[in-house]
Amino acid sequence: MRIGFGYDSHRLEAGRKLMLGGVEIPFEKGLLGHSDGDALIHAIIDAVFGAICAGDIGRHFPDTGERFRGASSLGLLKEAVSIAGNAGYRVLNVDSTVVAEAPKLAPHIERMRETLSAVLGTGAVSIKAKSNEKMGFTGRGEGIAAYAVCLLEKKKT
Ligand code: MG
C-alpha cells in the first residue's frame, strides 16, 4: 500500500464560477486558475501522484499548456487515476478537508462525494469542510485551500 498527501489553494475572484470537488457551487465568486481552479481536486491529484512518487500536478498538467486552459479538473483527476493504474495501483480511499470561510459547503458535500467516487473508483471518499475562524487568507475570504490524503493499493496481477 502507498499513501499520498496533497495540498492546494486558489484565489477567489468575482465573475468566476465556483467549482469544488467537481461540482458547481452557487456563490458570488469563483476560484481563479489556469484550469477551473478546483482546489479540492488538485489536492487529491497531488495525493495520488505523491503516493506513486510521480511528482506533482504541475509536472503532468503544466499551467503553461494550452491543453489545460479552462480544463475540467475532474478530467485531470481521471487522467491521474489512469496514470496510477498504469503504474499498477488503484485508489482505496481518500480523505480531505476544504478550508473556506464561505460559502457553506455542507449542502454540497454529498454531491461532491458522489462525483469524486465515480472517478476515483471507490465509495470511500471523505470530504470535510472547515472555516478558518476568520484567520489568514482563507478566513478573510481571499481564497480556498484544500488538503487530501489518499491510500493506493497495488493491483493484483
Ligand atoms: Mg491548483
Side-chain angles (χ1 to χ4, degrees), residues 7-10 32-33 35 37-39 42-43 57:
Y7 167 80
D8 195 32
S9 62
H10 281 260
L32 194 64
S35 66
D38 193 322
H42 296 178
I57 187 169

Side-chain angles (χ1 to χ4, degrees), residues 6-81:
Y7 167 80
D8 195 32
S9 62
H10 281 260
R11 184 181 289 278
L12 276 168
E13 204 148 286
R16 296 261 308 178
K17 59 178 180 177
L18 177 58
M19 295 297 297
L20 267 180
V23 162
E24 185 175 345
I25 293 170
F27 192 51
E28 74 245 18
K29 292 175 177 179
L31 294 173
L32 194 64
H34 184 72
S35 66
D36 62 13
D38 193 322
L40 172 56
I41 291 189
H42 296 178
I44 295 172
I45 290 174
D46 260 359
V48 170
F49 286 146
I52 58 168
C53 301
D56 62 20
I57 187 169
R59 176 170 138 195
H60 295 270
F61 314 124
D63 65 6
T64 50
E66 265 321 295
R67 194 190 141 210
F68 303 115
R69 184 180 299 282
S72 147
S73 295
L74 205 57
L76 302 182
L77 179 62
K78 218 171 272 184
E79 281 193 51
V81 168

